Amino acid sequence: MEEDRLWKFRRPEWMNSVWARSAGVYAAGGLFSLAFYTLLDAAVWSKSARNGSDLHVGFVDWLPFIFSSLGMLIINSVEKARLSADSYAYSGSAVAWKARVVLFLGFAALAGGMAGGVTICVLRYVVPGVPFPAMGMGVENVVANALVGLSSVVLWVSQNMEDEYAYNLAL
Amino acid sequence: MPQAGLKTIIALSFVLAVGFLLVILSCALWRSYYPLLVVATYVLAPVPNWICGHCANPDDFVESTGAAVLDLGRFCTGFLVVMGIALPIVLAHSSLISVPAMIMSVIGGLLIYGTIISFTMFFQEEQEF
């Protein structure tokens, strides 16, 4: 396992502990919750008395977040161990290839959600020149999708930590 | 040792009462009972962890499905904990509750959750003997 390492820098030792792994998973849940409540804040604010404009959050504003969450679900449902399988090990049913295709779909949904958030922010709020308190709804959309991406990165990294830890324990 | 445990229980219940006082005060002073949701959130927060901990065998390192179930429980718990802080902020931002009510309910909710967590920790520590 040592000589087929790709990167120059080693992962620090403390990252392989169980504590760091579960902290990473908790943090991912927290970030996802932050993303959801950022978007919910935009929706609630748009219906509240504070919203002076006639712009309102509808289903279209939720669509990028739905795609981002779907992408996150797909990415983190794939078994990571199958991904690094070399062509001999699982060549029977080509699991590694399938895993890569599914993972590609997941990342496409995640990036599509991010792009959709930016699109909604630009098309509905920036181009008509909405003033700022209402503009916040568009900004919150972008922030929410970015947080979903960040959350799935954190979850991915901490799950990879888990694999490393299990490997160390098995030897 | 039992006396220290008794003191701990008294202190924890005192903190829990202060947390509930803050949350209920934040509801009753402004006559809007939305912050009570914070209590429900924090009471529900350890539940996914607990359920998934019973579903999975944590000693099972060969099959990673057990670890996946544990991770799902942790993810949901993290979601609920941040929800308890985010919910009053969302409500205050839309002026459904006032900002002092938000501050009081966030502090009260953190006290309640801290009590639950530390009580679980003390309880598990006693179980190890």
Side-chain angles (χ1 to χ4, degrees):
Chain A
M1 209 61 182
E2 273 303 311
E3 60 268 15
D4 57 353
R5 217 153 42 83
L6 178 59
W7 306 107
K8 268 187 177 180
F9 293 104
R10 297 180 57 89
R11 197 195 311 239
E13 275 306 312
W14 58 267
M15 277 184 85
N16 285 335
S17 66
V18 188
W19 182 85
R21 186 186 120 243
S22 45
V25 177
Y26 280 124
L31 283 173
F32 186 76
S33 172
L34 219 55
F36 179 70
Y37 281 95
T38 309
L39 205 52
L40 194 71
D41 181 56
V44 173
W45 189 87
S46 97
K47 286 281 184 290
S48 78
R50 289 230 185 146
N51 188 2
S53 66
D54 52 355
L55 266 175
H56 288 293
V57 170
F59 180 68
V60 181
D61 296 73
W62 284 90
L63 213 53
F65 181 77
I66 294 173
F67 269 97
S68 296
S69 312
L70 210 62
M72 183 180 176
L73 185 69
I74 292 172
I75 288 171
N76 288 298
S77 301
V78 170
E79 181 74 62
K80 305 289 183 304
R82 300 290 174 275
L83 198 66
S84 57
D86 289 317
S87 49
Y88 287 130
Y90 294 99
S91 62
S93 51
V95 181
W97 185 79
K98 279 181 205 162
R100 278 167 203 153
V101 170
V102 171
L103 212 60
F104 174 75
L105 288 179
F107 276 113
L110 198 62
M114 183 70 217
V118 175
T119 308
I120 290 214
C121 178
V122 168
L123 283 187
R124 287 193 60 182
Y125 299 95
V126 173
V127 171
V130 180
F132 207 79
M135 176 82 182
M137 291 190 281
V139 176
E140 277 180 326
N141 208 326
V142 176
V143 169
N145 284 298
L147 281 174
V148 172
L150 196 64
S151 161
S152 80
V153 165
V154 170
L155 194 57
W156 173 275
V157 168
S158 47
Q159 279 185 345
N160 278 355
M161 258 185 243
E162 191 266 331
D163 287 347
E164 199 79 12
Y165 171 75
Y167 184 77
N168 284 346
L169 200 78
L171 283 185
Chain B
M1 195 51 118
Q3 278 185 349
L6 195 64
K7 273 177 194 166
T8 314
I9 286 177
I10 290 171
L12 281 180
S13 57
F14 186 71
V15 172
L16 185 72
V18 170
F20 269 107
L21 173 76
L22 275 175
V23 173
I24 290 175
L25 216 58
S26 79
C27 295
L29 279 182
W30 285 273
R31 300 273 191 287
S32 85
Y33 285 82
Y34 289 117
L36 274 185
L37 285 172
V38 173
V39 178
T41 306
Y42 280 122
V43 169
L44 282 181
V47 170
N49 230 347
W50 179 66
I51 292 175
C52 295
H54 278 271
C55 285
N57 181 12
D59 300 327
D60 198 359
F61 280 107
V62 184
E63 295 281 330
S64 53
T65 51
V69 172
L70 278 182
D71 281 351
L72 180 68
R74 291 200 183 102
F75 187 84
C76 292
T77 299
F79 185 91
L80 285 172
V81 169
V82 177
M83 176 182 168
I85 300 173
L87 206 56
I89 296 177
V90 168
L91 291 173
H93 185 218
S94 305
S95 65
L96 287 168
I97 61 175
S98 61
V99 173
M102 173 194 92
I103 296 169
M104 282 166 76
S105 62
V106 166
I107 294 174
L110 285 180
L111 286 180
I112 293 172
Y113 187 64
T115 311
I116 294 173
I117 287 299
S118 41
F119 190 81
T120 325
M121 276 168 58
F122 282 121
F123 190 65
Q124 280 180 348
E125 201 178 16
E126 279 176 13
Q127 259 188 345
E128 276 180 16
F129 287 111

